[in-house]
């Protein structure tokens, strides 16, 4: 019975997703919201339980930072890969660039070969999206919501300025990035970012599949596949 229900749900979901992806995700997001206790930021213990690969990532953080800086020293003309998937005004993206490794499960092989430590980490199939996120001095990222409850967000501080406030606020809770420290959080709550410094802020930015039981985990994977095809 459950399988039949999910089949009907998926058919209806695809139909509405093609018309309005954000609205189509609302019922699914509500379902996940009601199945799981609300968490904005995860504790260190919770993070390691939900995302065990974070242990390896934080152990290797200096190697990840070295690879990142090697890439950035080439003064590559970087854009922001998010513009391919999310509809926002130009000022939202201005001053924020990325160096992508994986987007919704699709790998950038050339970039992965240049950063072998990141490539090793992305052997974890539960990381559908990964990139270096570079925020220019003085940049503010205005309040916004993530569209999908099926993922959690992970940040690893790589280059964090110390000459002023550099933080994000999620659902009223504030987090100041720390070099070598990873944080796991739910980005579907309202959040904004400030780099009120004279220096660049650089982090490793990952999406992590929310742990779900069968068959919801398969539904989740299917939605992630669709998300890679359409703009929000």
């Amino acid at each position: 019975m459950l399988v039949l229900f999910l089949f009907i749900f998926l058919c209806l979901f695809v139909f509405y997703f093609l018309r309005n992806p954000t609205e189509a995700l609302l019922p699914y997001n509500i379902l996940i919201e009601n199945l799981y206790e609300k968490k904005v930021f995860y504790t260190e213990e919770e993070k390691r339980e939900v995302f065990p690969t974070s242990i390896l990532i934080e152990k290797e953080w200096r190697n990840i930072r070295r690879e990142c800086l090697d890439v950035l020293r080439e003064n590559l003309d970087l854009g922001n890969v998010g513009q391919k998937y999310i509809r926002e005004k130009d000022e939202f993206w201005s001053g924020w660039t990325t160096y992508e490794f994986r987007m919704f499960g699709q790998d950038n092989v050339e970039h992965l070969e240049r950063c072998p430590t990141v490539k090793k980490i992305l052997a974890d199939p539960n990381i559908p999206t990964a990139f270096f996120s570079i925020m220019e001095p003085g940049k503010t990222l205005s309040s916004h919501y993530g569209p999908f409850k099926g993922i959690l967000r992970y940040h690893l501080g790589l280059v964090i300025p110390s000459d002023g406030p550099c933080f994000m606020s999620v659902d009223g809770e504030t987090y100041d990035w720390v070099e070598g420290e990873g944080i796991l959080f739910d980005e579907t709550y309202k959040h904004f970012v400030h780099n009120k410094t004279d220096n660049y802020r650089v982090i490793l930015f990952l999406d992590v599949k929310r742990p779900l039981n069968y068959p919801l985990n398969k539904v989740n994977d299917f939605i992630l596949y669709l998300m890679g095809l359409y703009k929000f």
Side-chain angles (χ1 to χ4, degrees):
M1 188 67 180
L2 179 59
V3 173
L4 177 60
F5 169 79
L6 287 173
F7 175 76
I8 295 171
F9 170 81
L10 285 175
C11 290
L12 291 172
F13 175 81
V14 171
F15 174 74
Y16 285 107
F17 189 92
L18 296 176
R19 300 177 65 184
N20 190 321
T22 302
E23 287 190 8
L25 286 171
L26 286 177
Y28 184 81
N29 288 343
I30 292 170
L31 173 65
I32 300 300
E33 182 81 28
N34 283 279
L35 286 176
Y36 294 89
E37 178 187 358
K38 177 181 177 178
K39 289 184 184 297
V40 179
F41 288 105
Y42 285 66
T43 67
E44 184 68 19
E45 183 178 350
E46 290 168 340
K47 177 187 70 178
R48 292 179 176 220
E49 180 180 352
V50 171
F51 183 40
T53 301
S54 66
I55 300 171
L56 172 63
I57 292 172
E58 288 152 36
K59 181 180 178 181
E60 296 278 9
W61 84 271
R62 292 183 186 279
N63 289 329
I64 296 170
R65 181 173 69 173
R66 185 185 67 250
E67 292 171 3
C68 177
L69 293 177
D70 286 346
V71 167
L72 297 182
R73 284 192 190 100
E74 296 184 5
N75 296 315
L76 298 175
D77 184 19
L78 300 177
N80 190 306
V81 69
Q83 288 179 279
K84 298 178 182 178
Y85 302 95
I86 301 173
R87 293 186 178 95
E88 290 283 356
K89 296 179 179 178
D90 288 345
E91 55 263 32
F92 182 87
W93 305 107
S94 177
W96 178 27
T97 55
T98 61
Y99 186 80
E100 72 273 13
F101 299 102
R102 176 179 293 165
M103 290 300 296
F104 298 107
Q106 300 300 311
D107 286 349
N108 186 317
V109 177
E110 179 184 350
H111 288 184
L112 284 171
E113 290 301 323
R114 295 170 63 88
C115 299
T117 308
V118 175
K119 181 180 179 180
K120 178 173 67 174
I121 289 163
L122 293 186
D124 184 347
N126 293 309
I127 305 173
T129 293
F131 52 81
F132 291 140
S133 170
I134 304 101
M135 187 164 286
E136 294 182 1
K139 171 65 177 174
T140 292
L141 199 59
S142 59
S143 294
H144 57 289
Y145 300 83
F148 182 45
K149 275 282 183 184
I151 58 171
L152 300 170
R153 180 66 41 79
Y154 176 87
H155 286 178
L156 173 72
L158 297 177
V159 180
I160 308 302
S162 58
D163 60 322
C166 185
F167 66 91
M168 64 176 168
S169 176
V170 185
D171 198 38
E173 298 183 35
T174 298
Y175 174 76
D176 298 90
W177 289 284
V178 177
E179 291 183 359
E181 181 175 281
I183 186 72
L184 186 70
F185 62 100
D186 188 334
E187 55 96 37
T188 61
Y189 297 109
K190 186 177 181 180
H191 57 284
F192 63 88
V193 175
H194 286 311
N195 179 19
K196 297 181 178 180
T197 76
D198 295 326
N199 293 282
Y200 284 82
R201 184 232 61 180
V202 185
I203 62 171
L204 176 65
F205 179 117
L206 306 178
D207 282 344
V208 179
K209 293 181 184 178
R210 186 187 289 273
L212 299 169
N213 294 325
Y214 179 85
L216 271 179
N217 60 333
K218 299 303 181 183
V219 175
N220 215 53
D221 287 346
F222 180 67
I223 294 174
L224 279 168
Y225 169 76
L226 289 178
M227 290 176 68
L229 302 177
Y230 298 95
K231 267 198 172 187
F232 285 78

